[in-house]
């Protein structure tokens, strides 16, 4: 193998997650959010896996991700760009029937102009401002947007009318989320009154769909939950305690594992500093394993002297600092550990499991960030 570590993606876990989440949203369409390189899972590997579990809609962040998705997706699979789209990329985007979210009048006008040129409909999702104040077309611009949409029916297909909640995973944002929902409902009515009927009304991310079922509407944009993680502890607790969703075994299974191998073994006599500097002093004669992973490979420096890995089904603690490409773990209590042995950085080995959230707690990163930062160049394989 060229690479010093690899990522395994569990098809059975993904299929289970999707089946469970589909059950939770009834007949609404499941849009699989694959921004951030499919939350680190790898767009190219993830799309066919999700397709084989029945997914036909994907949401990407930008034109680059849409381009990658186009190379691997099945013929009837739909792609929507939720974020950045430069006007100079609109030609091939419209040409390839990639939909995109529109949150400025400029983008709407550019879409119409390009669609006219191609004598083809641009597929758009209109996003009004509802209170997140990030993207979203201003309420005062909506009448002009409605007029443009009505007048240009030959050049536009309004696939969606959508919004996004500013933190549905936390009860601290309850009021803000509810206000957004109310405003969105009012804007929906304005659209209907005007005789404009989008194909899908959608507002929910994982958290909103799983705690506020009325936000499900016609489509849910599932990100984190499909990969096997609850958006937050609060969302998990809310489900655990609710009548309709309570569970004894967690219905969400982690899809991703990250593995490497021991590069070399070293014995260190009592009373010596290990690795750079003086952060770790051996207090006994020790046996250490060197792991060929460092912060360049995505293993955070903040795991120095605090992280752990699994070797031979046992826990091995990080000793000393995480270097750019290596770190060391204590294998004194794992007899027989040798170069070439499998090392689990995230995932299961034997009876033990290193979850992304335990890993994330040590680094003060949330699941989302840890996953999305897994380097692009680590090979991903389906298992
Ligand atoms: C990231 C994102 C989602 C998915 O959020 P999760 O919390 O991962 O489910 C949905 N909608 C938009 C607009 C997003 O940017």
């Amino acid at each position: 193998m060229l690479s010093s570590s690899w990522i395994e993606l569990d098809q059975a876990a993904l299929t289970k997650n999707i089946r469970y989440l589909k059950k939770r949203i009834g007949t609404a369409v499941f849009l699989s959010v694959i921004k951030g390189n499919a939350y680190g899972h790898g767009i190219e590997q993830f799309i066919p896996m999700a397709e084989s579990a029945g997914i036909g809609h994907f949401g990407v962040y930008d034109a680059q991700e849409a381009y990658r998705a186009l190379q691997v997706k099945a013929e009837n699979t739909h792609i929507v760009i939720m974020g950045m789209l430069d006007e100079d990329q609109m030609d091939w985007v419209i040409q390839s029937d990639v939909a995109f979210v529109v949150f400025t009048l400029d983008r709407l006008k550019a879409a119409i102009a390009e669609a006219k040129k191609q004598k083809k409909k641009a597929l758009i999702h209109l996003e009004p401002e509802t209170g997140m104040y990030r993207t979203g077309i201003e309420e005062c611009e909506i009448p002009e947007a409605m007029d443009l949409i009505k007048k240009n029916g030959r050049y536009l297909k309004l696939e969606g009318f959508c919004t996004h909640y500013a933190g549905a995973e936390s009860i601290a944002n309850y009021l803000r989320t509810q206000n957004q929902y109310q405003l969105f409902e009012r804007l929906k009515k304005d659209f209907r009154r005007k005789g404009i009927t989008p194909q899908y009304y959608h507002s929910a991310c994982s958290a909103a769909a799983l705690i506020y079922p009325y936000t499900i509407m016609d489509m849910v944009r599932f990100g984190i939950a499909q990969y096997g993680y609850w958006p937050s502890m609060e969302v998990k607790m809310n489900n655990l305690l609710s009548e309709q969703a309570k569970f004894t075994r967690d219905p969400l299974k982690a899809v991703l594992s990250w593995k490497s191998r021991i590069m070399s073994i070293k014995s260190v006599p009592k009373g010596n500093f290990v690795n750079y500097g003086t952060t770790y002093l051996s207090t006994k004669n020790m046996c250490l394993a060197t792991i060929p992973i460092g912060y360049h490979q995505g293993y955070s420096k903040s795991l120095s002297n605090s992280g752990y890995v699994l070797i031979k089904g046992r826990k091995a603690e990080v000793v000393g600092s995480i270097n750019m490409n290596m770190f060391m773990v204590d294998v004194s209590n794992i007899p027989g550990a040798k170069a070439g042995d499998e090392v689990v950085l995230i995932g299961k080995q034997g009876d033990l499991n290193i979850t992304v959230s335990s890993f994330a707690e040590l680094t003060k990163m949330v699941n989302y960030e840890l996953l999305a930062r897994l380097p692009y160049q680590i090979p991903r394989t389906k298992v």
Side-chain angles (χ1 to χ4, degrees):
M1 171 172 298
L2 270 174
S3 171
S4 64
S5 73
W6 67 95
I7 284 170
E8 293 178 357
L9 304 175
D10 182 344
Q11 175 76 62
L14 178 64
T15 303
K16 274 189 201 143
N17 296 341
I18 290 173
R19 196 178 303 145
Y20 171 73
L21 296 170
K22 276 193 165 174
K23 215 163 61 192
R24 295 289 303 270
I25 65 171
T27 56
V29 172
F30 188 128
L31 180 128
S32 163
V33 177
I34 55 166
K35 67 190 184 200
N37 196 26
Y39 291 45
H41 292 62
I43 285 179
E44 287 77 6
Q45 294 77 13
F46 187 79
I47 288 180
M49 290 177 66
E51 284 174 341
S52 81
I55 299 298
H57 294 77
F58 293 92
V60 298
Y61 174 67
D62 61 9
Q64 192 172 39
E65 288 185 340
Y67 187 82
R68 287 171 57 196
L70 278 179
Q71 313 307 309
V72 296
K73 75 173 190 69
E75 189 165 342
N76 294 325
T77 291
H78 304 265
I79 306 288
V80 50
I81 296 173
M82 304 189 304
M84 182 59 196
L85 170 58
D86 226 25
E87 276 178 31
D88 68 0
Q89 302 299 306
M90 233 176 225
D91 51 353
W92 67 264
V93 166
I94 292 175
Q95 183 60 46
S96 349
D97 288 322
V98 171
F100 49 93
V101 176
V102 168
F103 40 76
T104 63
L105 284 174
D106 283 349
R107 190 180 280 190
L108 182 59
K109 288 171 188 163
I112 293 166
E114 182 58 39
K116 275 186 179 157
K117 215 191 293 172
Q118 294 193 23
K119 301 191 170 57
K120 187 170 189 322
K121 283 186 185 186
L123 312 177
I124 64 163
H125 293 238
L126 191 72
E127 182 195 14
E129 178 58 59
T130 63
M132 179 156 177
Y133 296 106
R134 181 176 68 174
T135 49
I137 191 162
E138 307 293 331
E139 200 169 347
C140 62
E141 293 176 328
I142 288 181
E144 187 179 347
M146 287 205 255
D147 284 344
L148 284 168
I149 290 168
K150 282 208 89 158
K151 275 199 205 111
N152 292 283
R154 286 173 60 198
Y155 301 110
L156 291 176
K157 179 178 176 201
L158 188 60
E159 255 190 17
F161 185 68
C162 58
T163 191
H164 184 51
Y165 300 109
E169 73 286 350
S170 169
I171 195 72
N173 303 319
Y174 179 78
L175 193 60
R176 189 168 172 204
T177 307
Q178 297 308 308
N179 286 338
Q180 284 188 268
Y181 170 74
Q182 305 292 349
L183 177 53
F184 190 63
E185 286 295 309
R186 179 162 69 68
L187 294 169
K188 272 161 75 171
K189 285 200 194 94
D190 293 348
F191 263 69
R192 277 197 211 108
R193 214 171 291 130
K194 265 268 182 182
I196 303 175
T197 45
Q199 188 177 5
Y200 306 113
Y201 289 108
H202 55 108
S203 70
C205 56
S206 302
L210 294 172
I211 48 180
Y212 310 124
Y214 46 86
T215 64
I216 290 171
M217 304 178 195
D218 305 316
M219 176 181 262
V220 172
R221 304 182 307 264
F222 275 119
I224 197 85
Q226 67 182 327
Y227 303 106
Y229 309 96
W230 293 91
S232 66
M233 260 341 243
E234 285 169 53
V235 176
K236 185 174 182 180
M237 285 306 291
N238 178 291
N239 277 262
L240 199 50
L241 300 174
S242 79
E243 224 10 81
Q244 67 277 27
K246 68 177 175 200
F247 51 84
T248 41
R249 280 176 75 183
D250 195 332
L252 299 179
K253 314 270 179 230
V255 172
L256 176 144
S257 310
W258 185 18
K259 298 179 179 176
S260 180
R261 292 189 193 286
I262 295 178
M263 181 164 70
S264 55
I265 297 279
K266 166 162 295 299
S267 45
V268 181
K270 179 177 172 176
N272 286 283
F273 291 117
V274 169
N275 204 333
Y276 288 117
T278 54
T279 68
Y280 192 85
L281 179 70
S282 63
T283 52
K284 54 179 188 204
N285 293 335
M286 296 178 83
C287 182
L288 303 184
T290 308
I291 315 298
I293 296 289
Y295 52 81
H296 172 62
Q297 283 82 9
Y299 202 79
S300 171
K301 192 156 172 64
S302 57
L303 292 161
S304 299
N305 281 311
S306 70
Y308 59 94
V309 301
L310 302 177
I311 293 169
K312 290 186 172 298
R314 317 257 305 258
K315 193 171 157 178
E317 287 175 355
V318 173
V319 297
S321 56
I322 309 296
N323 309 151
M324 188 182 289
N325 301 109
M326 294 182 233
F327 66 91
M328 309 188 77
V329 296
D330 182 3
V331 291
S332 306
N333 295 320
I334 308 179
K338 58 181 189 310
D341 284 353
E342 184 186 88
V343 176
V344 170
L345 307 159
I346 293 176
K348 285 188 190 139
Q349 197 187 54
D351 299 331
L352 298 181
N353 186 12
I354 300 183
T355 63
V356 169
S357 42
S358 70
F359 198 96
E361 266 164 33
L362 290 171
T363 57
K364 301 194 179 69
M365 273 193 237
V366 295
N367 288 347
Y368 291 85
E369 182 179 354
L370 190 139
L371 291 166
R373 287 170 73 120
L374 286 170
Y376 180 77
Q377 59 272 34
I378 301 175
R380 274 88 169 153
T381 49
K382 182 173 96 166
V383 294

